[in-house]
Amino acid sequence: MYKLPILTAIRARPALRRPAAALLGLGIAAILLAACGSGGGSSSPAASSKPLEGPEETVKLYRTSCISCHGTELQGRMGDESNLQKVGSRMTEDQIRAQIENGGSLMPAFSGKLKPDQIDALASWLAGHK
């Protein structure tokens, strides 16, 4: 029996689309995961051209909790408000602590996610960035 080329081509198309759709889905998933900033340290803070300086535990806490929005060098990834490079010049330590605890405009509250001593350590460290 003779097979029509049109029917053969139609049957082959879905098989070709499946890998393309899978790759597209994986690409979208990768972008979403990178953008969501789970804070798990998967954004490779070691790739920073200028390592963060400060108490080891505080810098580690920053990398796991803050880096997704504030960047590897405190440069901010969510606009000018998220730049922390000179946050100590515009906010006091108490204001920084309150911001971390209660959140603000785009920032979520971390009072339920971090212990008070962790918040204090971050606030003190960030207040020194002038």
Side-chain angles (χ1 to χ4, degrees):
M1 178 178 219
Y2 179 74
K3 292 184 181 180
L4 294 173
I6 294 173
L7 294 177
T8 306
I10 291 173
R11 274 190 231 140
R13 260 191 230 151
L16 292 175
R17 287 185 184 165
R18 277 185 233 134
L23 286 174
L24 179 63
L26 286 174
I28 290 171
I31 290 168
L32 290 174
L33 283 174
C36 82
S38 65
S42 61
S43 59
S44 185
S48 173
S49 61
K50 181 174 141 188
L52 294 173
E53 295 179 6
E56 184 179 344
E57 286 301 313
T58 305
V59 171
K60 183 177 177 182
L61 179 61
Y62 173 84
R63 286 184 173 148
T64 59
S65 301
C66 313
I67 204 167
S68 61
C69 293
H70 295 289
T72 57
E73 297 175 18
L74 306 170
Q75 77 275 17
R77 295 182 62 205
M78 309 296 287
D80 290 339
E81 283 184 53
S82 66
N83 184 317
L84 301 177
Q85 291 174 333
K86 296 184 186 240
V87 68
S89 296
R90 65 179 191 269
M91 296 174 78
T92 67
E93 185 174 334
D94 288 337
Q95 290 171 324
I96 295 169
R97 183 180 299 105
Q99 181 84 17
I100 296 169
E101 289 174 345
N102 306 317
S105 61
L106 293 175
M107 183 173 166
F110 279 82
S111 59
K113 298 174 185 162
L114 298 176
K115 297 175 185 173
D117 61 320
Q118 292 175 313
I119 293 173
D120 288 344
L122 283 170
S124 175
W125 177 65
L126 289 169
H129 288 82
K130 298 182 182 214

